[in-house]
Amino acid sequence: MSEQQYSPLSQAIVRTLTDKLYEKRKAAALEIEKQARDYVRNDNMADLNRLIKILEQLAIAPNGNTRKGGLIGLAATAIGLGNKYAIPYAQLLLEPVFVCFSDTDSRVRYFACEALYNIVKIIKMAALDHFDQLFDILWKLSSDPDQNVRNGSELLDRLVKEIVVSKNDFELETLILLIRERIYSVNSSNRRFIISWLHTTLTVPDFMIGQYFPEVIDGVFKALEDPSPAVREATITVLNEMLHKLEPKEGTESVDISSIVNVLVAQSNAHNGHGTRNFCSMDGPSDKTTRRQSLFAVPPFCFPFLPHLASGEKGLIARSDHLNQSLTELLKFDSPIPVEPTVEVLLAHLRHDRMETRDGHAELAFAIFTPSNRGRE
């Protein structure tokens, strides 16, 4: 190893930077941080460019300790440059780190998390120019087999979310596309990651997320089938937040209720039992305008839940009864409903063996044919 080969780094710094001991690598990184700061102060951009190039080569070297040294060196360079001077070098600093997330050595992946965190913390908004790559990396890391890597990725994930929510003109369409491509993953860790990002977008008042509900709500319901209680609990929270977004408020976006209802009906007719349970657990929106938009779906709503009034499963009976009451109230609004197909559904179950189911149908029929509802088409 010659002095010229790694110029402007000295042999001593390179040797320490690529040592197997973390403390030695950290000490060398502090020297690199100071060196980068001096280059900026002295307007020595030529040596700064060479420094970054050398660190990039180290980060993709065959030896694991050398790669770790390159990673911590790149992060140290970003810290030394600071936000103003690091942003023009964002791509050069990030790309070698991105490569290391495919490393078979879990320690390299862990230190890649650490390096990326420190770089993103410096360049902030500039990191969003690489959001697609960042999101894909975070999604993969969420199910990394190594717990330390997953822990490191969670810190990075929180940082990226903080940057996203602070950007008022963030392109939600890009995020939704990334979510939509991954929302049907059956891995619990990946699902939890996707649900957490939906939760983040739902908690930002300035994000007009409602228009994208039809694109993701089916996948959200699928997540309720996950074997992990934590995933199911987080998913229920997201569904409740989505429901809250359906309530029209002054100055807020309108939501395509009909598309969402179509998904709910499909879920309610799911053969695996989860769909009906999930559907019966949903509270309808309290706003009259929103509820009127759902009236066209009354007939298919009746099919899945009324038989469960006599299912013998107490929780499902209670939820079905609650939904039955909600539909009955819905029919009291002065708005047209498709009476004929609704009556066909009710007649199909009118001779059900169980009294509870017959009562449910009778209650809906009474709501349809009360004087205030006559004349509907």
Side-chain angles (χ1 to χ4, degrees), residues 52-71 74 92 94-101 103 108:
I52 295 175
K53 187 65 177 177
I54 292 299
L55 293 171
E56 177 188 359
Q57 292 173 4
L58 294 177
I60 59 175
N63 182 275
N65 290 327
T66 303
R67 294 196 295 277
K68 295 171 190 175
L71 287 167
L74 287 166
L92 293 175
L94 289 171
E95 287 188 346
V97 182
F98 289 162
V99 172
C100 290
F101 287 107
D103 204 291
V108 171

Side-chain angles (χ1 to χ4, degrees), residues 288-344:
K288 291 183 179 181
T289 302
T290 304
R291 295 175 72 179
R292 286 192 187 106
Q293 296 178 42
S294 306
L295 285 169
F296 77 91
V298 168
F301 274 2
C302 298
F303 269 118
F305 81 87
L306 284 175
H308 288 283
L309 290 171
S311 68
E313 186 178 333
K314 291 183 179 180
L316 192 53
I317 291 173
R319 294 194 295 269
S320 297
D321 183 60
H322 174 71
L323 186 54
N324 182 40
Q325 295 296 329
S326 296
L327 279 178
T328 302
E329 289 298 317
L330 184 63
L331 295 177
K332 293 179 182 179
F333 289 125
D334 187 19
S335 182
I337 62 168
V339 173
E340 186 173 338
T342 303
V343 171
E344 289 179 3

Side-chain angles (χ1 to χ4, degrees), residues 215-315:
E215 299 181 37
V216 299
I217 194 168
D218 183 64
V220 174
F221 268 105
K222 294 291 185 185
L224 285 173
E225 302 172 14
D226 196 274
S228 167
V231 173
R232 296 197 300 271
E233 184 177 344
T235 303
I236 290 171
T237 299
V238 164
L239 283 170
N240 286 331
E241 289 169 347
M242 293 174 79
L243 183 63
H244 180 69
K245 286 281 188 179
L246 294 180
E247 303 284 358
K249 302 177 184 67
E250 186 177 353
T252 61
E253 62 182 324
S254 60
V255 181
D256 184 3
I257 299 297
S258 62
S259 295
I260 296 175
V261 168
N262 288 335
V263 174
L264 294 178
V265 171
Q267 283 290 329
S268 71
N269 285 289
H271 295 298
N272 58 12
H274 289 288
T276 302
R277 286 175 174 80
N278 299 339
F279 177 76
C280 291
S281 298
M282 293 289 291
D283 287 323
S286 59
D287 178 81
K288 291 183 179 181
T289 302
T290 304
R291 295 175 72 179
R292 286 192 187 106
Q293 296 178 42
S294 306
L295 285 169
F296 77 91
V298 168
F301 274 2
C302 298
F303 269 118
F305 81 87
L306 284 175
H308 288 283
L309 290 171
S311 68
E313 186 178 333
K314 291 183 179 180

